[in-house]
């Protein structure tokens, strides 16, 4: 792993290269440093949960083990497994929340791309 010929991308430090002066500045993401904290993020955020009578509009659900952030100005959603103490071991709750987040991202028209990651230094 990875297979021969497969491109490998290494992220050591996020950077934004502008190809010309007319491009917009990179989106501000004030919590970026918190994602690499050994403790993870303090608050996970919430998404809409679609089921039963809430199938059409959804009902707010406070995530327990996955952090959710949406950079609305660029349409980038970030879902991060937020259990660094257990090295993000997939608990039954975390597995269920993975599908809740995927469904929410699919239905939210503001989400153009979904980035999956994890918090902490050993993710």
């Amino acid at each position: 792993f990875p297979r021969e010929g497969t491109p490998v991308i290494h992220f050591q430090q996020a950077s934004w290269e502008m190809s010309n002066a007319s491009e917009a500045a990179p989106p501000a993401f004030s919590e970026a440093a918190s994602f690499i904290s050994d403790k993870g993020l303090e608050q996970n955020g919430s998404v809409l949960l679609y089921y039963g009578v809430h199938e059409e509009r959804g009902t707010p659900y406070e995530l327990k083990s996955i952090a959710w952030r949406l950079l609305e100005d660029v349409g980038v959603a970030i879902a991060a497994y937020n259990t660094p103490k257990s090295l993000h071991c997939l608990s039954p709750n975390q597995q269920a929340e993975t599908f809740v987040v995927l469904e929410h991202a699919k239905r939210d028209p503001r989400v153009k791309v979904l980035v999956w990651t994890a918090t902490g230094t050993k993710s």
Side-chain angles (χ1 to χ4, degrees):
F1 181 80
R3 287 181 277 170
E4 190 173 323
T6 303
V8 178
I9 301 171
H10 296 279
F11 295 99
Q12 294 199 359
Q13 181 177 3
S15 65
W16 183 277
E17 295 180 19
M18 298 201 310
S19 59
N20 64 46
S22 66
E23 279 191 43
F29 186 47
S30 60
E31 289 184 292
S34 300
F35 275 77
I36 56 171
S37 162
D38 286 334
K39 296 178 182 178
L41 295 166
E42 290 183 23
Q43 295 182 353
N44 287 327
S46 62
V47 295
L48 293 177
L49 180 62
Y50 299 92
Y51 72 98
V53 297
H54 304 288
E55 181 66 31
E56 293 297 317
R57 294 181 172 233
T59 186
Y61 171 77
E62 187 70 30
L63 294 163
K64 312 281 187 282
S65 61
I66 298 177
W68 170 263
R69 300 296 185 269
L70 176 61
L71 305 176
E72 289 189 52
D73 54 336
V74 290
V76 175
I78 302 170
Y81 292 111
N82 194 25
T83 53
K85 288 182 183 176
S86 68
L87 299 177
H88 312 294
C89 181
L90 288 176
S91 67
N93 178 69
Q94 206 165 29
Q95 291 175 32
E97 285 188 348
T98 298
F99 289 103
V100 168
V101 167
L102 286 170
E103 184 66 24
H104 174 79
K106 180 176 90 174
R107 293 183 183 221
D108 188 339
R110 301 172 299 170
V111 176
K112 306 298 180 217
V113 65
L114 174 58
V115 177
W116 280 95
T117 187
T119 60
T121 57
K122 297 179 183 178
S123 59

